[in-house]
């Protein structure tokens, strides 16, 4: 079905242009991921970053740019963090709340503020990362340290700003959500290295074929679960009353409100990852002997041991919180109930208005709990994989598969929707 959709899309000139543009932007992203930042000793950098830490996780989402310390090392995480802050502020600041309700104009203004926030956060995070990894910098001569720190931070900020622009261009001129697709491309780019890594472990005897088989089975189960949850929905039956206008009768038909199990999609995972990156980033600013750094390195890593429990617990709680938060932002039961009442619709057995809104809120809360719990279980699965198989490459975890499958599903839905529109246009002509 996917292959047929891609073939049909390729036969439509406009869609072929959009697909080609998206692929070209992916190529630009991959080229930028290999452009190194000057004044970096990569051997020293590899020793400082180590293995089996959150750095591996960040490296996965940046498509390998983080460990290469390329111009895209920060990836798109400052943009995501800025989006989180703006959405939270929308709830507490009346001006932003009014903008959010002003349609296209308000959306453009909030997007503009998000861009400003991305640049500011990108510079702060870039400077902090540069200062924390200053031991890997090559200083040409004494006295130039702060100038080098500033230069590297500006390059990292420019890389993030360019990725933000790239994502917006994909959304506007390509297929799918550009920001999500950039993350998707970064994860997929690491698959060949992951396969090579596993093959190397298998060759030297560090793992056996049973471990690899277990990894494949877990991966297949994750993909099946993601598809099941992403496509799952509760359909609330709606009946429309008959209305007589002149000699014509309107309404009287039945419909339904589709309420998805995972209304928030993959956004809660991405939000949680962005926030959890801050403790490790702050730790790089401090001496390795400080208590905070030792605490983070011991209790805030994903290594498959008992010391991962605080990190995994915090990760799961953040995912569930952001699932509820993003669902509340994207689906308002009160607005849905008011619209139903306005157009003569009602849920059988319930009075229009307040009773309908309360019923939808209760259903939404239960669905959100199920969806958030599923996302949290998938997210903490890398630690289980490490413990069961002994494979330390956490890029193979459930979170990566969840994002890849979710983004692929959403992109294919958008592509099929575009195909359907062109098909209907053909009938109209």
């Amino acid at each position: 079905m996917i292959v047929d959709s891609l073939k049909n899309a390729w036969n439509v000139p406009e869609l072929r242009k959009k697909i080609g543009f998206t692929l070209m932007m992916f190529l630009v992203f991959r080229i930028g991921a290999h452009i190194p930042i000057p004044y970096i000793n990569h051997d020293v950098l590899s020793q400082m970053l180590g293995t089996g830490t959150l750095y591996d996780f960040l490296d996965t989402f940046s498509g390998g740019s983080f460990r290469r310390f390329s111009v895209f090392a920060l990836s798109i995480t400052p943009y995501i963090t800025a989006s989180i802050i703006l959405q939270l502020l929308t709830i507490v600041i009346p001006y932003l709340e009014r903008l959010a309700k002003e349609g296209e104009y308000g959306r453009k203004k909030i997007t503009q503020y998000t861009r400003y926030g991305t640049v500011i956060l990108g510079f702060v995070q870039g400077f902090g990362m540069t200062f924390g990894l200053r031991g890997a910098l090559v200083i040409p001569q004494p006295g130039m340290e702060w100038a080098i720190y500033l230069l590297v931070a500006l390059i990292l900020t420019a890389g993030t700003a360019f990725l933000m622009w790239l994502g917006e261009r994909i959304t506007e001129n390509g297929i799918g959500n550009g920001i999500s697709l950039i993350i998707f491309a970064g994860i997929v780019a690491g698959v060949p290295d992951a396969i090579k890594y596993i093959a190397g472990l298998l060759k030297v005897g560090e793992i056996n074929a049973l471990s690899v088989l277990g990894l494949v089975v877990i991966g297949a189960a994750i993909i099946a679960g993601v598809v099941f949850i992403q496509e799952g929905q509760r359909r609330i039956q709606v009946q429309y009353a008959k209305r007589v206008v002149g000699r014509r009768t309107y309404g009287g038909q039945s419909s339904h409100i589709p309420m998805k199990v995972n209304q928030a999609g993959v956004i809660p995972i991405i939000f949680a990852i962005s926030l959890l990156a801050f403790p490790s980033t702050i730790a790089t600013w401090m001496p390795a002997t400080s208590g905070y750094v030792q605490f983070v390195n011991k209790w805030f890593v994903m290594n498959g041991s008992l010391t991962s429990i605080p990190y995994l617990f915090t990760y799961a709680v953040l995912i569930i919180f952001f699932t509820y938060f993003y669902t509340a932002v994207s689906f308002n039961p009160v607005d849905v109930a008011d619209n139903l009442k306005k157009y003569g619709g009602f849920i059988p057995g319930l009075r229009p208005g307040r009773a309908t809104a309360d019923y939808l809120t209760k259903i939404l809360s239960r669905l959100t709990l199920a969806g958030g719990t599923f996302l949290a279980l998938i997210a903490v699965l890398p630690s289980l994989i490490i413990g069961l198989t002994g494979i330390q490459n956490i890029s193979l975890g459930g979170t990566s598969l969840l994002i890849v499958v979710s983004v692929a599903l959403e992109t294919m839905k958008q592509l099929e929707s575009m195909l359907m529109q062109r098909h209907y246009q053909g009938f109209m002509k």
Side-chain angles (χ1 to χ4, degrees), residues 14 33 73 93 97 123 241 284 296 333 337 410:
E14 184 179 352
I93 298 180
E97 185 178 2
F123 179 77
T284 61
V296 170
E410 290 300 321

Side-chain angles (χ1 to χ4, degrees), residues 79-398:
Y79 177 86
I80 297 170
T81 307
S83 300
I84 297 173
I85 295 173
L86 258 296
Q87 291 193 26
L88 290 173
L89 291 179
T90 300
I91 300 176
V92 298
I93 298 180
Y95 171 71
L96 293 177
E97 185 178 2
R98 288 196 302 270
L99 281 180
K101 297 179 180 179
E102 289 183 3
E104 185 67 17
Y105 170 78
R107 186 188 65 81
K108 288 183 178 180
K109 292 295 291 184
I110 291 178
T111 300
Q112 185 179 9
Y113 294 150
T114 304
R115 291 170 182 163
Y116 295 153
T118 300
V119 173
I120 295 171
L121 289 174
F123 179 77
V124 172
Q125 190 173 345
F127 188 85
M129 183 185 298
T130 303
F131 185 77
L133 300 175
R134 60 190 180 278
L137 292 176
V138 178
I139 308 300
Q141 60 186 43
M144 292 186 60
E145 290 84 356
W146 289 100
I148 299 299
Y149 298 162
L150 183 61
L151 174 64
V152 174
L154 288 174
I155 293 175
L156 290 172
T157 306
T160 293
F162 182 79
L163 282 182
M164 176 180 63
W165 176 85
L166 203 68
E168 291 177 350
R169 297 289 74 73
I170 293 175
T171 302
E172 182 178 345
N173 303 313
I175 300 290
N177 182 283
I179 302 300
S180 298
L181 284 173
I182 287 176
I183 299 174
F184 170 91
I187 296 173
V188 171
V191 172
D193 289 337
I195 295 175
K196 181 180 178 182
Y197 172 78
I198 293 175
L201 293 180
L202 188 63
K203 184 177 181 180
V204 299
E206 290 192 23
I207 60 173
N208 52 43
L210 190 61
S211 296
V212 178
L213 179 62
L215 184 66
V216 173
V217 170
I218 292 174
I222 292 173
I223 292 174
V226 169
V227 173
F228 179 76
I229 294 295
Q230 290 295 102
E231 298 299 304
Q233 58 181 231
R234 169 79 179 271
R235 296 186 175 185
I236 309 298
Q237 185 180 357
V238 175
Q239 186 73 34
Y240 286 90
K242 291 184 179 180
R243 295 180 295 130
V244 178
V245 180
R247 295 183 178 181
R248 303 188 64 177
T249 301
Y250 297 89
Q253 75 273 19
S254 297
S255 183
H256 67 270
I257 302 174
M259 300 180 68
K260 298 182 65 175
V261 176
N262 183 19
Q263 187 81 21
V266 74
I267 298 298
I269 293 276
I270 299 176
F271 279 10
I273 290 170
S274 300
L275 289 185
L276 285 176
F278 273 103
S280 294
T281 302
I282 295 173
T284 61
W285 305 354
M286 304 179 179
T289 56
S290 68
Y292 176 80
V293 174
Q294 293 178 1
F295 174 83
V296 170
N297 291 337
K298 181 178 180 180
W299 299 102
F300 234 65
V301 293
M302 296 175 64
N303 54 19
S305 66
L306 292 177
T307 57
S308 299
I309 292 178
Y311 174 87
L312 296 176
F313 178 77
T314 306
Y315 193 17
V317 169
L318 282 175
I319 289 173
I320 294 175
F321 167 76
F322 280 122
T323 302
Y324 272 97
F325 170 75
Y326 198 80
T327 301
V329 171
S330 60
F331 188 96
N332 190 332
V334 176
D335 290 344
V336 174
D338 289 343
N339 288 332
L340 284 177
K341 185 177 180 180
K342 178 180 179 181
Y343 293 103
F346 62 92
I347 298 175
L350 295 174
R351 294 177 62 87
R354 177 66 180 272
T356 299
D358 291 342
Y359 176 75
L360 292 177
T361 300
K362 182 173 71 173
I363 297 299
L364 184 64
S365 179
R366 293 176 178 177
L367 291 176
T368 304
L369 178 61
T373 302
F374 172 79
L375 290 178
L377 288 175
I378 293 297
V380 302
L381 200 59
S383 185
L384 177 62
I385 294 175
I386 292 172
L388 293 177
T389 65
I391 300 174
Q392 296 294 319
N393 192 341
I394 56 178
S395 65
L396 298 171

Side-chain angles (χ1 to χ4, degrees), residues 398-419:
T399 302
S400 301
L401 283 177
L402 174 64
I403 293 176
V404 168
V405 175
S406 299
V407 173
L409 284 174
E410 290 300 321
T411 305
M412 287 307 303
K413 284 182 180 179
Q414 182 175 340
L415 185 61
E416 290 178 357
S417 176
M418 291 179 176
L419 279 173

